[in-house]
Amino acid sequence: QVQLVESGGGLVQHGGSLRLSCAASGNIFSIRAMAWYRQAPGKERELVAVIADGGGTNYADSVKGRFTISRDNAKNTVDLQMNSLKVEDTAVYYCNARCRGPDSWGQGTQVTVSS
């Protein structure tokens, strides 16, 4: 099992920046890729960004050019740098580890963007 703990959420104004961090522990050698998802009130959880073991990344169209996912394998962390935030980015953000075995999820961190 992999345990994930997110940090870095909060309240920011439209156009501002936030950096989310996710620390992994436990059976980290089972992790193939790590990702960030988000879920806004009344909406389904959606993929924001994913980074594979080799460093390849993929982003949702809505965040391309504004968000950057990065991974530090030595520290077992994955970060999400969010710039030019919009009100519609408001959501609970979840860290996800795609594992050889069951995936793991963090508890979520709230990001609120005010107009």
Side-chain angles (χ1 to χ4, degrees):
Q1 277 281 18
V2 173
Q3 293 79 46
L4 302 172
V5 178
E6 301 108 332
S7 60
L11 174 65
V12 64
Q13 286 191 330
H14 176 89
S17 298
L18 277 177
R19 188 176 184 90
L20 306 182
S21 186
C22 174
S25 60
N27 190 18
I28 58 172
F29 296 106
S30 69
I31 299 175
R32 298 179 293 110
M34 296 196 73
W36 286 95
Y37 284 75
R38 67 185 181 187
Q39 188 167 19
K43 295 188 176 181
E44 293 189 355
R45 191 172 297 189
E46 64 174 355
L47 176 67
V48 176
V50 59
I51 184 166
D53 260 352
T57 59
N58 198 17
Y59 295 90
D61 287 343
S62 59
V63 306
K64 281 181 182 176
R66 300 188 298 121
F67 290 12
T68 303
I69 189 170
S70 59
R71 182 172 178 177
D72 187 331
N73 290 329
K75 296 181 179 179
N76 301 317
T77 58
V78 61
D79 290 353
L80 185 68
Q81 178 65 42
M82 305 185 293
N83 298 328
S84 302
L85 282 161
K86 304 176 181 180
V87 172
E88 50 264 43
D89 294 319
T90 295
V92 177
Y93 284 70
Y94 296 91
C95 182
N96 165 255
R98 302 179 179 181
C99 304
R100 298 177 185 86
D103 286 358
S104 292
W105 293 88
Q107 80 284 357
T109 185
Q110 178 70 46
V111 171
T112 302
V113 185
S114 63
S115 58

